[in-house]
Amino acid sequence: MTGAHRLEGQVAVVTGGANGIGRATALKFASEGAAVVVADVQMAPAESVVDEIIAAGGRALAVELDARSRESNEQMAEAAVQTFGGLDVMMTAAGISHGGYSSGDIEAEVKRATRRLEVAAEPGQGFLDVELEDWQRVIDVNLTGTFLAMQAAVRQMLELGTKGRIVTIASIAAKNPDAGPTAYTVSKAGVWMLTKKSARELASAGIRVNAIGPGYIRTNMTALIEQIPEYNERLMAAIPLGHVGEPDDIAHAAMYLVTDESGYMTGEILHPAGGYFTG
Ligand SMILES: NC(=O)c1ccc[n+]([C@@H]2O[C@H](COP(=O)([O-])OP(=O)(O)OC[C@H]3O[C@@H](n4cnc5c(N)ncnc54)[C@H](O)[C@@H]3O)[C@@H](O)[C@H]2O)c1
């Protein structure tokens, strides 16, 4: 694999590693020498990320994960240790923007977003339109899923005496309520607080925890924006750098957070966001 091999001999797990930000980060970690567990609910794209890593001379394993399940998260962390002999880095990129989200189903996304624009035009209806089931699923995947992956990783790190590094994926929506739907923004604010809280609790174990709060990044999750002019115009006006980011922009931030270059940093959030306002 090409790269500076800054993660040689280390083992990384990436949840949501089949697509978008998780995929780019899994490829980046592998190019830096890490053995990578690509964990996702979508197995076909997860397998193709693994194939890509192996074809380039790296080591990788695809693991089926339902981020909402404690058992599934524990199995994922155990698989890393059993297959590659350790667990040094956990990156939690599995996420959904709303309860019905399925990565890659762009047609359904455009349909939903168009309806949401109509509903939100009626006073108060945007808020009332949030269904309990939708709310619960977003919190379960984004917030509880992050918590469960972190716990599973920390269990292994403590057992092995590893000075681990955890990178959570929050969002600019953790701080800016205009950057996503209701349950999504709340779940990401929760991920940000979970990052700060766990960083304090894990510092004495030598485990660092930091978050990345991406702005708008070109992935399946944001593909609908280009298709709806009203969204696109609003978005471009809000990004001082004038363009959306690429998944590699987040992979590079993740690399920084898992190497010693960020060794004095824990409980922080980085915002690769083109200057989008995060307060
Ligand atoms: N794209 C952006 O602009 C942006 C901005 C801020 C934050 N984020 C966050 O980045 C993360 C990655 O999103 P992305 O943009 O790459 O989108 P994506 O759809 O490309 O990737 C999300 C991945 O999570 C997986 N996933 C969803 N539910 C899962 C579950 N229950 N169990 C396991 N895996 C599951 C999907 O299959 C997919 O591979 C998400 O947490 C998202 O909220 C994205």
Side-chain angles (χ1 to χ4, degrees):
M1 308 261 341
T2 55
H5 288 256
R6 287 175 288 172
L7 297 178
E8 198 64 57
Q10 299 199 34
V11 181
V13 175
V14 181
T15 75
N19 295 288
I21 288 169
R23 174 180 180 276
T25 307
L27 293 172
K28 179 71 188 159
F29 285 170
S31 79
E32 295 279 355
V36 181
V37 172
V38 179
D40 208 286
V41 77
Q42 293 190 357
M43 280 312 277
E47 295 283 7
S48 75
V49 174
V50 166
D51 290 347
E52 207 175 316
I53 291 172
I54 291 171
R59 292 189 304 155
L61 172 75
V63 167
E64 188 164 9
L65 169 74
D66 181 353
R68 302 169 297 169
S69 152
R70 182 186 161 114
E71 194 188 6
S72 183
N73 277 284
E74 294 293 336
Q75 283 169 359
M76 164 184 74
E78 283 161 17
V81 176
Q82 278 162 15
T83 309
F84 298 122
L87 204 177
D88 302 276
V89 169
M90 168 61 74
M91 157 111 165
T92 60
I96 56 177
S97 48
H98 58 86
Y101 180 76
S102 174
S103 188
D105 189 352
I106 310 299
E107 207 176 301
E109 287 298 285
V110 172
K111 219 160 141 190
R112 179 184 181 277
T114 307
R115 196 190 74 80
R116 285 284 301 164
L117 276 175
E118 285 164 15
V119 171
E122 296 293 319
Q125 291 308 310
F127 182 69
L128 290 184
D129 195 49
V130 180
E131 303 269 353
L132 174 59
E133 197 183 327
D134 186 278
W135 166 276
Q136 194 65 59
R137 195 175 173 89
V138 173
I139 300 293
D140 285 350
V141 174
N142 293 3
L143 180 54
T144 308
T146 300
F147 166 69
L148 292 172
M150 290 170 70
Q151 269 205 340
V154 168
R155 233 181 286 288
Q156 299 296 335
M157 289 170 181
L158 291 181
E159 176 86 18
L160 298 165
T162 304
K163 307 284 182 221
R165 283 128 284 143
I166 297 172
V167 179
T168 62
I169 300 296
S171 167
I172 45 173
K175 296 178 181 171
N176 185 330
D178 296 330
T182 307
Y184 183 79
T185 55
V186 172
S187 74
K188 293 300 187 177
V191 168
W192 171 213
M193 180 54 80
L194 174 64
T195 304
K196 287 190 278 193
K197 181 68 184 169
S198 60
R200 278 152 184 77
E201 289 178 326
L202 294 169
S204 59
I207 297 171
R208 295 193 293 113
V209 192
N210 290 289
I212 302 175
Y216 285 88
I217 308 300
R218 196 187 312 279
T219 69
N220 288 338
M221 195 173 278
T222 51
L224 73 109
I225 291 168
E226 283 175 3
Q227 316 228 3
I228 302 178
E230 191 177 336
Y231 272 147
N232 207 26
E233 281 161 30
R234 235 194 267 169
L235 180 62
M236 287 309 152
I239 303 175
L241 286 186
H243 62 88
V244 299
E246 299 297 332
D248 274 348
D249 290 318
I250 308 309
H252 291 140
M255 262 316 289
Y256 170 64
L257 290 176
V258 303
T259 58
D260 287 345
E261 287 166 24
S262 63
Y264 195 48
M265 191 180 280
T266 196
E268 295 294 340
I269 186 166
L270 296 182
H271 289 297
Y276 193 102
F277 184 67
T278 49

